[in-house]
Amino acid sequence: VYGRTVEGEVLTFGHEGVLYRRSFVMYDKQSDSKWLHVTGEALIGPKAGQKLSFMPSEITTWADWSRRYPLGLALTGDKARGFMGSFTLKGKLKDYGLSLGEGSAVKLIRFSLLEQVPVLNTRLSKLPLVAVFDPTTSRAVAWSRRLGERTLQFDFVQGGKYPQMRDSETGSLWDRMQGTCLAGELAGKQLDPVLATAWLGKRWKGFFPKGEIMGLPEIKK
Amino acid sequence: MATMVLLSPLVAQEPISAADYTKNAKRAAPRDAFPVMDHPKMTLTAEIGDQIDPDEPVIGLLVQGQARAYPISVMGTCELVNDTVADVPIAVSW
């Protein structure tokens, strides 16, 4: 999701109908520049070199989203049927990963790995972070592990009303999807979010060929 | 516990550039063959209830406290929505 305002001008996008690195290209109706929808960057035309502002979003299930934001609005309409037929992502989330970082420091953590390791302590360059996963909604987010002077390490906690984790420094209990400490010495503390988005794994590889991918070993058939 | 490995791509790719685009971009369909939503129809989430499958993936975002959900099944082949949330013009794509 991007902001459509570039240097004060509001752009309207259409489909160019061109495929580049497994991804569709957009054009803007104001300047006819060509934009990559996965990076928000203009490659060709008067806007070449410009970048759309990135807006954080998440991919989750309808059940999870509608429970959290019942007073929000949702797109409705007929199930889209183009000449590619109808399409759903249902059951395909395993092909996705959580993309972290920008530029030279990028990392993709596959959902298939997070299903096995729902609390994953790792780093992005020098930033210690924890990637977390909720198997009931297939939602993944990431939190900084820095809290004031401390750098925390987290462990998975089974069960509980909310998806939880525990830090090994103080043993405090955290809501892992909200980044909030529920009980213990750090109760009430909030972790800082790390900008992360869900990406289709094979598409991500095309855009970040040198990016690091964390996943399960591939099984050769 | 699963073993973690780092997978590195075997084939180096050219960096993304106008030259690489000109060389490798392929036309898959005529321009505008895929519909784009410019005036998306929005409904209050609470009113939709289970008309959308609970397991259906949605793209969710918050703009200045206003929540918007874009179910993938409705986005479908459209893949692109020009919308405005809290007076902020946004493009939703996936």
Side-chain angles (χ1 to χ4, degrees):
Chain A
V1 182
Y2 298 101
R4 290 193 280 128
T5 310
V6 176
E7 294 184 323
E9 187 185 5
V10 176
L11 304 178
T12 313
F13 291 97
H15 262 296
E16 178 63 13
V18 162
L19 211 49
Y20 176 62
R21 301 202 184 190
R22 294 174 183 266
S23 179
F24 274 102
V25 174
M26 326 188 280
Y27 73 96
D28 72 76
K29 295 178 183 179
Q30 284 68 30
S31 78
D32 200 21
S33 302
K34 316 283 188 283
W35 301 76
L36 300 180
H37 89 82
V38 287
T39 61
E41 202 180 341
L43 278 185
I44 306 278
K47 305 274 187 210
Q50 299 271 18
K51 226 173 161 182
L52 301 174
S53 57
F54 176 85
M55 303 184 70
S57 64
E58 58 177 84
I59 292 187
T60 183
T61 58
W62 174 248
D64 175 54
W65 185 266
S66 57
R67 179 183 55 78
R68 287 189 287 146
Y69 302 107
L71 298 180
L73 297 179
L75 177 69
T76 45
D78 293 333
K79 289 204 175 188
R81 277 180 194 279
F83 54 80
M84 282 167 71
S86 65
F87 195 89
T88 177
L89 258 181
K90 205 176 153 184
K92 291 184 187 163
L93 281 171
K94 62 175 169 32
D95 298 334
Y96 278 70
L98 190 68
S99 175
L100 302 159
E102 265 201 326
S104 56
V106 284
K107 179 180 270 202
L108 185 81
I109 306 174
R110 290 190 182 277
F111 280 16
S112 51
L113 174 63
L114 290 171
E115 275 183 328
Q116 303 288 323
V117 189
V119 175
L120 179 64
N121 295 282
T122 182
R123 280 173 182 273
L124 184 70
S125 312
K126 288 179 181 159
L127 176 72
L129 61 91
V130 59
V132 295
F133 187 73
D134 178 3
T136 59
T137 60
S138 295
R139 192 159 72 91
V141 288
W143 305 105
S144 167
R145 289 194 280 121
R146 287 217 183 103
L147 187 72
E149 300 287 294
R150 298 180 207 249
T151 297
L152 301 170
Q153 183 89 10
F154 293 96
D155 297 311
F156 175 63
V157 175
Q158 192 84 40
K161 190 178 174 191
Y162 305 103
Q164 296 173 347
M165 61 185 178
R166 196 180 287 283
D167 72 77
S168 37
E169 284 70 18
T170 71
S172 301
L173 195 64
W174 298 74
D175 178 329
R176 69 173 186 264
M177 301 312 290
Q178 301 296 327
T180 315
C181 189
L182 301 168
E185 190 187 323
L186 300 175
K189 298 281 185 195
Q190 173 68 46
L191 300 173
D192 292 326
V194 175
L195 204 59
T197 42
W199 274 67
L200 190 60
K202 61 185 178 185
R203 186 181 277 171
W204 194 87
K205 272 197 233 176
F207 281 88
F208 304 105
K210 289 179 182 158
E212 178 190 329
I213 296 183
M214 297 176 80
L216 296 169
E218 286 184 65
I219 297 158
K220 292 213 171 78
K221 284 175 189 166
Chain B
M1 186 61 73
T3 319
M4 226 179 292
V5 291
L6 301 180
L7 310 168
S8 55
L10 297 172
V11 186
Q13 228 165 340
E14 290 294 312
I16 289 161
S17 64
D20 184 63
Y21 176 90
T22 309
K23 195 171 139 197
N24 291 312
K26 296 209 166 51
R27 183 157 292 282
R31 180 181 268 196
D32 297 326
F34 293 94
V36 172
M37 289 184 209
D38 286 338
H39 304 285
K41 188 189 162 204
M42 307 301 285
T43 308
L44 186 68
T45 295
E47 283 176 9
I48 298 172
D50 57 4
Q51 289 172 51
I52 295 173
D53 186 329
D55 292 334
E56 179 65 42
V58 301
I59 298 170
L61 82 153
L62 292 171
V63 183
Q64 292 168 26
Q66 295 198 25
R68 291 291 185 279
Y70 302 85
I72 300 293
S73 63
V74 182
M75 292 275 293
T77 51
C78 162
E79 293 188 356
L80 187 56
V81 178
N82 290 298
D83 202 355
T84 302
V85 183
D87 293 329
V88 180
I90 62 163
V92 184
S93 69
W94 67 278

